[in-house]
Amino acid sequence: MKKYLISAVSLCSIIILSACSNEKSKNLPDGKLNPCTIRFSWWGGDDRHKATLDAIELWNKIHPEIEIVPEYGGWDGWTEKVSTQLSGGTAPDIMQINYDWLISFSPDGKGFYDLSKLSEHLDLTVFDSDILSFGKVDNILNAVTVSVSGRGMFYNSDVYRRLNAEYPKTWNELFELGEKFRGEDIYPIDLDIQSGGTAWYLAVVYVQQQTGRIFLSMDGELGFTEEDIKLALDFYKELENKHVIRTIDIRTDEDGSAALYQSPKFIDGTIAGVLEWGSSVGKYEMALPEGLLEAGPMLSDDNGNSTGWMIKPSVLYAISKDTKYPDEAAAFMNFLLNDEKCAEVLGTTRGIPASHTAEKSLELSGKLQGLVQENDILLENLDTITISPYMELARMKSFYNDAIEKVSYEKANTSEAAHEMYISINVSLYQSPQV
């Protein structure tokens, strides 16, 4: 993605136990690569897991003396797991981190290793300066952005063809599809209410597009009024009422706690579309027959106004500030980010690489294609907004989901839920903005 609104925030604090031999004194790089074992953790879907494990296998062939121990899983509960590791002193040497971990775990810029000190093994010259700025706190480089991504609309092409329906271009067309699909007991799309916060994300896009106001600023100021939050909740409730998405009650009854890409209703076509990060859509692709999932237009109003859609660093890589082996960790991070053969192995499982070297490798190998690239191009053609890292904080997501659940189960009307959410967000940002 070529357009960015530059952010100035960054990552996490970590205490680590390393299983390496010949420990280097005082945690300082010396430019040498010594035999050791280091841990690397990430979250994702099966496509990302397989590609990353294959990349580690490739690394082991080149550097058998530096063993990489993988730790991986799904997104739900991952932040809590890593937070526990950090507080308990058992976090990995190298971590894939989320954008909001910058302000949560490294508010002073000292929560992770300063990567600018590791230039002997980590090549940062192949990244644009605005990309690197995403990983800085107080001008300390805490992390490197792997890719920049945004959520897009993806549809089951077989279902849409069977129902003689076109992918919606506007919000009103989406609502009309809900009524059209109702008779077939099929939903045009669905949205999760889990830790990903997808339902609130789409509502924010809608309101930002309608009002021109940004939900949260980069420094954590609430830009929405209470009336804006009510509009967002009204929009969500209308999606349910017009059969565009399932109610939470129906979704819970049919799926339990399973992620949407694992839902039998998505796999059998009852759910005919999803809103997902371009960098993570591969897990949905893998759940369906090859080629069935297609990218659709970014929704706009009836006048063609398509503002309000958002982008952010999809994931970043960071090194523990307490790692005993910064050189080895930096070398492996550089391999993941910049090695041409590794780039071909990883493909676009974390989005289009921000590294010019890795991106060029994918282009030359013919692997710079598919839904990730299509979504990237769609977003490039919009006037996108960079998501505030505050929007992704766990506490903030609890406010979104609590309000949506109350509205969905009709335990509160949209005015009541909006008032409670407006106060909760303001109090949280004022009292403990980094949690």
Side-chain angles (χ1 to χ4, degrees):
M1 196 160 296
K2 308 304 180 187
K3 297 189 296 184
Y4 308 99
L5 298 178
I6 300 176
S7 77
V9 218
S10 248
L11 312 216
C12 284
S13 38
I14 302 172
I15 298 175
I16 224 106
L17 298 177
S18 183
C20 295
S21 61
N22 303 319
E23 295 185 356
K24 302 180 181 183
S25 63
K26 297 183 179 179
N27 199 27
L28 298 176
D30 60 13
K32 300 176 182 178
L33 297 181
N34 297 320
C36 68
T37 298
I38 53 180
R39 295 160 56 207
F40 170 50
S41 71
W42 73 90
W43 72 87
D46 290 342
D47 61 321
R48 183 179 294 175
H49 297 332
K50 182 182 184 306
T52 308
L53 291 171
D54 288 345
I56 291 174
E57 184 177 350
L58 178 61
W59 164 270
N60 287 337
K61 292 178 181 178
I62 302 170
H63 291 285
E65 77 283 3
I66 302 174
E67 180 184 2
I68 308 299
V69 177
E71 300 177 12
Y72 56 95
W75 169 248
D76 283 335
W78 194 258
T79 300
E80 293 77 10
K81 174 183 177 179
V82 174
S83 178
T84 300
Q85 290 178 326
L86 294 175
S87 61
T90 60
D93 298 87
I94 308 167
M95 287 168 284
Q96 173 183 295
I97 68 164
N98 203 43
Y99 190 28
D100 64 294
W101 293 10
L102 302 165
I103 53 176
S104 295
F105 302 121
S106 187
D108 60 357
K110 298 178 181 178
F112 290 96
Y113 207 99
D114 182 355
L115 300 181
S116 65
K117 298 178 179 179
L118 300 174
S119 58
E120 184 77 18
H121 295 291
L122 180 59
D123 184 5
L124 300 174
T125 65
V126 294
F127 294 87
D128 293 336
S129 59
D130 55 352
I131 290 291
L132 292 177
S133 72
F134 282 121
K136 291 183 178 180
V137 178
D138 286 345
N139 209 36
I140 300 172
L141 187 61
N142 278 198
V144 177
T145 297
V146 178
S147 69
V148 174
S149 184
R151 280 184 166 121
M153 308 299 298
F154 302 94
Y155 301 100
N156 184 320
S157 59
D158 181 63
V159 174
Y160 273 76
R161 276 195 294 267
R162 179 159 48 87
L163 297 180
N164 195 29
E166 295 184 358
Y167 303 146
K169 298 181 180 67
T170 69
W171 304 105
N172 282 331
E173 288 179 3
L174 179 63
F175 286 126
E176 289 168 4
L177 281 177
E179 299 294 353
K180 178 177 181 177
F181 285 17
R182 189 190 294 271
E184 303 291 333
D185 197 27
I186 290 174
Y187 296 86
I189 64 169
D190 205 5
L191 304 168
D192 78 64
I193 54 143
Q194 297 164 317
S195 61
T198 310
W200 180 248
Y201 184 101
L202 192 63
V204 166
V205 171
Y206 176 81
V207 174
Q208 288 182 158
Q209 196 174 102
Q210 298 296 308
T211 67
R213 285 185 285 273
I214 296 176
F215 174 49
L216 283 169
S217 70
M218 297 304 294
D219 57 359
E221 292 290 329
L222 180 61
F224 275 15
T225 64
E226 186 174 324
E227 291 71 26
D228 292 336
I229 294 176
K230 179 182 182 302
L231 177 60
L233 294 174
D234 285 336
F235 168 77
Y236 175 82
K237 189 60 176 174
E238 189 175 6
L239 290 174
E240 288 190 345
N241 291 342
K242 292 192 173 178
H243 199 76
V244 175
I245 64 174
R246 293 178 293 178
T247 65
I248 294 177
D249 187 45
I250 292 174
R251 189 182 304 118
T252 301
D253 182 59
E254 293 179 341
D255 296 348
S257 60
L260 185 55
Y261 72 94
Q262 298 171 321
S263 166
K265 297 299 183 181
F266 172 72
I267 295 170
D268 71 13
T270 300
I271 304 303
V274 297
L275 173 72
E276 184 53 84
W277 298 105
S279 57
S280 299
V281 72
K283 59 192 177 188
Y284 285 94
E285 281 189 282
M286 289 185 69
L288 299 177
E290 185 177 355
L292 218 58
L293 201 65
E294 295 182 350
M298 311 303 285
L299 297 170
S300 68
D301 65 18
D302 290 339
N303 297 319
N305 174 22
S306 58
T307 59
W309 288 91
M310 299 176 281
I311 61 171
K312 68 156 192 168
S314 56
V315 295
L316 306 93
Y317 289 144
I319 293 175
S320 165
K321 67 182 179 66
D322 297 314
T323 183
K324 297 295 190 297
Y325 293 87
D327 289 294
E328 292 78 7
F332 180 65
M333 181 186 288
N334 189 74
F335 174 79
L336 292 172
L337 290 168
N338 299 323
D339 185 86
E340 294 179 1
K341 291 184 179 179
C342 182
E344 293 181 25
V345 171
L346 293 174
T348 57
T349 56
R350 287 176 174 83
I352 306 296
S355 161
H356 295 312
T357 301
E359 182 182 17
K360 186 67 173 178
S361 177
L362 289 185
E363 185 179 354
L364 292 174
S365 64
K367 293 187 177 182
L368 198 61
Q369 59 183 351
L371 294 183
V372 178
Q373 185 188 36
E374 291 173 26
N375 186 67
D376 198 71
I377 292 171
L378 287 169
L379 286 166
E380 279 185 358
N381 291 326
L382 302 180
D383 185 13
T384 52
I385 298 166
T386 300
I387 297 174
S388 168
Y390 291 87
M391 183 175 174
E392 302 209 314
L393 292 172
R395 179 179 295 184
M396 299 293 284
K397 288 180 180 178
S398 72
F399 298 149
Y400 315 151
N401 290 343
D402 182 62
I404 286 173
E405 285 183 5
K406 286 179 179 176
V407 168
S408 182
Y409 283 109
E410 299 184 347
K411 294 181 178 179
N413 60 39
T414 55
S415 295
E416 294 165 339
H419 179 70
E420 181 180 344
M421 182 175 168
Y422 180 76
I423 296 216
S424 296
I425 289 176
N426 274 303
V427 169
S428 176
L429 292 174
Y430 177 75
Q431 291 183 341
S432 52
Q434 295 157 352
V435 179

